[in-house]
Structure formats: structure tokens, C-alpha cells
Amino acid sequence: MSNNERKMIKVALPKGRLGDQVYEMLEKTGYECPEIKEGSRKLIFINEEKGVSYFQVKPTDVVKYVERGAADVGIAGKDIMLEYDPDIYELLDLNIGKCRMCVAGPKGWHDDVERTLKVASKFTNIARDFYARKGRDIDMIKLHGSIELAPIVGLSDVIVDIVETGNTLRDNDLEVVETIVPISARLIANKAAFQFKTKEIEDMRDALAKEVQD
């Protein structure tokens, strides 16, 4: 198939460091779009010759753009996928953006199972599912920022949050109580787009898979 006949793949990249890492991988595998590095205020970057177009959105929004078909593929953290449970295909673990979803609490904390556990998190669905599987009764408190503050000031007993280095926890006399699931960035695809652009999307997946193995 010639470049002119190739179907364009629309890619939703997460803004920030993860998106930069992913773009570097795509660039190495032949899906470069130099304009994206030029500091332009454009919202969409297209390389007709390579059959790819990029746009950048908040990491939490990638799954929405892909699920609803505004993007054919995207890169999303496993945490976002577990939290929102989008109707998409997960194609590849990119093995970057690695961290853990954990329960954390004050050092030396022990769960008193006789009382309702107060849990603070912005990942409320992940937290609810985790404790439902344990049969633990919880009071779920949804927060959007400064999650670590909640157990320090008594708003919650524990938090459910992403832990990368653990430095913030240690600095605030908190520690990991339990790891829920390992997290990393995943290549995802819109289901309808995958049927219509199977070869193009599989070619991109396979190229990235080789980069991951290397």
C-alpha cells in the first residue's frame, strides 16, 4: 500500500512527560511529526507522508477521545483505564510511566475492622472495587488534590493513590499499606477504528512492541 493510500491514524497523546516519552518512541519507529516539537500553538499536528496526526489532551481525557472515536488510538495509564472502564481495546503495554496504585496510611497504622474504614482518593471506582472484593465496609471520600493530607488531618484513615517513588509519603510520615495493582502506560484503540484501520493500527502497535522489547 502506498503512502497516499494509507489511512490516516489519529493519535491522542497525553500532555506532559509521559506524552513526550511516547512521542519519542513513535518518532523512533517512523511516525515522526517534527512540527509537534516546534512550540506551535496548533492543536493538531499532521504528517501526511507518515499517515499520522497527533493531538495532545489531559491524561485523564485520552480514554474519552478514543472511546468516542475522536482518536483512533491513544496512550493512557492503566490507572485511568481501571477508573473509567472505557469500551476500548487495550493493544500494548508500553512499559513506561511505571508506578503502583496503593493503599497508604500513617506509619504503624492498623485497620480496625469493627468500624467503617474512611478512604480518601480521586480513584474512587478503583478504591470501591478493591474494598468490595475484600468485603470491607468503607466511607468513600472523593478528593481532587493533596490526597496525602487526608489521613494527616483526620479526614480519612487511609488513601488510595498512585505511588511512584514513595518520597511524598515518607516526607509526611505515611507508608504503603498494600499494593492494589501495578500501573504503566498502554496503547489503546477505538473499537470501530480498529476494524476499519486494522493494518495501520497493527503496524503501529507492532513497531512500538519492537521498541518496547529493545
Side-chain angles (χ1 to χ4, degrees):
M1 182 180 289
S2 70
N3 286 336
N4 291 335
E5 293 172 315
R6 180 189 295 157
K7 298 184 182 82
M8 182 77 68
I9 302 179
K10 297 175 292 183
V11 183
L13 290 174
K15 289 181 177 178
R17 184 178 61 176
L18 178 60
D20 293 341
Q21 286 180 276
V22 173
Y23 175 73
E24 284 181 16
M25 292 176 70
L26 286 159
E27 188 177 43
K28 287 178 183 176
T29 55
Y31 293 94
E32 70 273 12
C33 187
E35 197 177 18
I36 205 169
K37 289 184 168 181
E38 293 174 1
S40 166
R41 296 196 178 204
K42 288 177 65 174
L43 299 176
I44 300 175
F45 303 91
I46 301 173
N47 187 331
E48 297 268 3
E49 183 184 355
K50 299 296 183 179
V52 65
S53 70
Y54 294 104
F55 57 87
Q56 298 167 309
V57 297
K58 285 184 65 174
T60 51
D61 289 341
V62 170
V63 293
K64 298 174 187 175
Y65 279 87
V66 173
E67 183 178 34
R68 293 179 174 268
D72 300 319
V73 301
I75 290 80
K78 187 65 176 179
D79 53 320
I80 304 301
M81 295 168 63
L82 290 170
E83 180 65 18
Y84 293 103
D85 192 24
D87 186 23
I88 48 88
Y89 290 134
E90 180 181 331
L91 302 181
L92 180 68
D93 183 349
L94 296 173
N95 209 30
I96 58 174
K98 297 171 81 170
C99 50
R100 298 175 291 157
M101 183 68 66
C102 296
V103 178
K107 284 184 178 176
W109 175 86
H110 294 286
D111 188 6
D112 178 0
V113 296
E114 297 299 317
R115 53 186 287 274
T116 299
L117 182 67
K118 294 185 293 181
V119 182
S121 183
K122 61 182 175 182
F123 299 99
T124 54
N125 290 329
I126 292 175
R128 284 195 185 98
D129 288 347
F130 175 70
Y131 282 108
R133 290 195 301 271
K134 294 166 78 78
R136 186 68 171 94
D137 186 27
I138 66 168
D139 175 12
M140 190 74 247
I141 305 163
K142 184 174 179 66
L143 296 178
H144 297 280
S146 302
I147 308 295
E148 293 86 2
L149 183 63
I152 296 172
V153 300
L155 178 64
S156 72
D157 299 308
V158 294
I159 60 175
V160 169
D161 202 13
I162 289 173
V163 175
E164 190 169 358
T165 64
N167 290 339
T168 303
L169 294 178
R170 285 188 288 273
D171 288 348
N172 291 284
D173 292 323
L174 302 173
E175 63 184 3
V176 171
V177 175
E178 199 166 356
T179 295
I180 298 175
V181 66
I183 301 295
S184 58
R186 311 298 168 99
L187 176 69
I188 61 175
N190 174 270
K191 288 186 171 181
F194 189 78
Q195 301 305 318
F196 182 58
K197 303 178 181 180
T198 306
K199 183 183 186 306
E200 289 80 9
I201 292 174
E202 286 186 340
D203 285 349
M204 177 177 281
R205 177 202 63 194
D206 294 346
L208 285 169
K210 288 180 182 176
E211 185 67 23
V212 170
Q213 290 168 2
D214 293 342

